[in-house]
Amino acid sequence: MLPTHEELVARLEQAGVLARHWRTAFERVERHRFLPDRISGPDGVTADRSRDPGHWLGLAYADIPIVTQVDDGAENGPGYPTSSASQPTIVADMLRRLDVFPGRRVLEIGTGTGYNAALLSQLLGDAAVTSVEIDADLAETARTRLREAGFGTFVVTGDGTLGCPSRAPFDRVICTAAVQRVPYPWIEQTRSGGRILTPWGNAFHNGVLADLTVGPDATARGRFGGDAAFMWVRAQRVPRRVVEAFVRPEEQAFESTRTELHPYEPIGDFDASFAIGLRMPTVLNRVEFSEDDGQRYTVYLVDPETASWASWRIEPEHRETGHEVRQHGPRELFTELEAAYHWWRERGRPVHARFGLTVSAERQSVWLDDETGLVP
Ligand SMILES: C[S@@+](CC[C@H](N)C(=O)[O-])C[C@H]1O[C@@H](n2cnc3c(N)ncnc32)[C@H](O)[C@@H]1O
């Protein structure tokens, strides 16, 4: 193993995310084999493999996600990330949670670089792994890199939300992109007792992991667990640049009120924000800082479906007199947020892992503690 690779494996072990039965796979599969020749770190500094191999390898084995495609591969776009090699800690943690052992068959959605597919192939054997990637170029590159690394993983170019009926049934489904609605084909294609692990969220909050077990009634149930922000599967993306598109206080009528509520908890607390998102899943929240001191900012709430918006202006000197809130449109989004926040507090501030999900052919429902506690 390269020294940087060894350090990464040690780091995953220290973080408690590397299950014992996954260790050999993480030692044998070399992440750098799945990365492009030019990659960037979180600071945006690009490393070129041929010019600065040391820097490039350092990034390849750092515990960071590496963006490998923007704007679905289109040139001159705004630069939105659309594929990446996920952060190794998350990769190891998801594989640990997947609870999969040799002899089981797995469907992965979102091949991306092929790194996660290689790990699965290393543990389970090529024949047990099917990986689906919607982007034809990425799928082809992943196939090549897998082959060069010695794997014959079955990579399908297609929409993974449809599963892969010709290779079903599976014992496990693992999605490495986020969904708002768990696609029912995954449940149909999973054996009774099998598991589905997927990043899950909504426009308000991205997101958590949903860990579901498929029952004999062809319904999947399970709880949420883990902080996992992923890029969305293509057909379930949330709108972008909503503040620019919808908020125009100079020309739109709005109601102005004041509030003592500070965004610290409803927006800043992971569990509060997750719970509020369950009550208002189509509403996006954006925080825009007006000065570098980090103390003056506006929280925007936007519902693209009804073109409603609210702005919540935070200035330290208004702590006593209340922060200004403006609301426009048929939905009073700040009022809804306050109600959802109080609902969460009245239930004893439940952590996200107390919530769960049931997915049947007809619907997806979210509950608190058990299926009788449906979230309205
Ligand atoms: C975070 S990346 C996956 C990381 C990958 N597992 C790895 O090890 O590099 C998410 C991937 O999901 C793909 N994707 C998005 N929507 C999809 C869909 N409906 N079906 C299959 N793949 C999809 C994207 O093109 C992207 O490559």
Side-chain angles (χ1 to χ4, degrees):
M1 266 194 292
L2 294 162
T4 43
H5 185 173
E6 246 173 79
E7 279 164 30
L8 177 64
V9 174
R11 190 188 166 113
L12 298 177
E13 185 143 56
Q14 270 161 18
V17 291
L18 185 58
R20 194 177 300 167
H21 68 289
W22 274 108
R23 193 183 167 103
T24 307
F26 274 84
E27 286 172 349
R28 298 230 171 116
V29 179
E30 296 178 303
R31 191 178 190 233
H32 75 269
R33 286 178 172 273
F34 296 88
L35 298 176
D37 290 343
R38 282 169 63 81
I39 55 180
S40 307
D43 53 5
V45 177
T46 300
D48 188 302
R49 185 178 193 169
S50 54
R51 274 201 223 124
D52 192 353
H55 184 202
W56 187 85
L57 273 177
L59 285 181
Y61 288 100
D63 189 22
I64 52 170
I66 292 185
V67 173
T68 50
Q69 187 199 58
V70 295
D71 305 322
D72 296 328
E75 283 181 20
N76 305 320
Y80 290 125
T82 46
S83 190
S84 66
S86 307
Q87 184 179 355
T89 303
I90 303 273
V91 174
D93 190 42
M94 284 184 71
L95 291 174
R96 176 182 70 86
R97 288 170 188 261
L98 193 64
D99 190 30
V100 67
F101 292 89
R104 308 273 176 177
R105 290 166 55 76
V106 175
L107 171 67
E108 180 197 32
I109 292 96
T111 315
T113 62
Y115 175 60
N116 195 56
L119 289 164
L120 287 164
S121 269
Q122 178 69 49
L123 183 76
L124 308 173
D126 291 332
V129 183
T130 304
S131 184
V132 189
E133 170 57 54
I134 200 163
D135 187 288
D137 291 342
L138 292 177
E140 193 46 42
T141 306
R143 268 183 215 110
T144 306
R145 296 220 171 103
L146 282 159
R147 199 169 46 242
E148 286 170 359
F151 297 102
T153 321
F154 193 73
V155 176
V156 182
T157 305
D159 182 354
T161 61
L162 304 173
C164 186
S166 62
R167 302 264 295 178
F170 303 100
D171 299 291
R172 299 284 184 272
V173 173
I174 178 170
C175 184
T176 57
V179 296
Q180 303 193 53
R181 298 169 298 281
V182 176
Y184 194 68
W186 297 354
I187 294 161
E188 289 176 305
Q189 294 169 30
T190 300
R191 282 202 181 94
S192 174
R195 303 252 301 267
I196 296 170
L197 183 70
T198 182
W200 186 94
N202 48 49
F204 195 87
H205 186 103
N206 175 6
V208 290
L209 291 173
D211 187 349
L212 311 176
T213 301
V214 176
D217 55 352
T219 295
R221 301 175 175 79
R223 282 178 191 267
F224 298 112
D227 173 352
F230 270 79
M231 39 191 80
W232 299 104
V233 297
R234 274 199 191 173
Q236 297 192 23
R237 285 177 180 159
V238 304
R240 288 166 172 149
R241 297 183 65 79
V242 288
V243 175
E244 294 80 349
F246 291 98
V247 184
R248 293 186 305 281
E250 316 74 36
E251 34 189 282
Q252 294 167 321
F254 56 80
E255 295 251 325
S256 177
T257 51
R258 299 195 91 81
T259 179
E260 283 174 13
L261 186 63
H262 189 275
Y264 176 71
E265 193 167 72
I267 302 288
D269 180 280
F270 186 86
D271 294 311
S273 160
F274 172 74
I276 292 167
L278 299 177
R279 303 287 302 259
M280 39 199 304
T282 62
V283 177
L284 292 107
N285 71 76
R286 292 281 173 273
V287 180
E288 293 199 355
F289 289 87
S290 42
E291 279 170 42
D292 287 344
D293 64 2
Q295 302 208 37
R296 267 159 245 281
Y297 55 94
T298 306
V299 177
Y300 291 98
L301 307 172
V302 181
D303 175 41
E305 283 180 12
T306 60
S308 306
W309 58 261
S311 64
W312 182 7
R313 176 80 192 146
I314 306 304
E315 316 220 14
E317 53 271 29
H318 288 157
R319 214 162 265 149
E320 305 296 317
T321 52
H323 306 290
E324 191 199 5
V325 170
R326 297 174 174 182
Q327 304 195 80
H328 162 87
R331 284 182 68 179
E332 296 189 337
L333 297 180
F334 181 80
T335 312
E336 285 187 33
L337 175 132
E338 260 186 323
Y341 175 56
H342 287 130
W343 169 83
W344 175 74
R345 286 176 48 144
E346 280 158 15
R347 269 142 199 85
R349 296 184 151 93
V351 295
H352 68 281
R354 277 182 54 194
F355 290 91
L357 187 67
T358 299
V359 187
S360 66
E362 293 79 35
R363 69 184 62 86
Q364 161 174 294
S365 24
V366 179
W367 35 263
L368 175 60
D369 293 331
D370 59 51
E371 283 178 332
T372 61
L374 276 188
V375 173

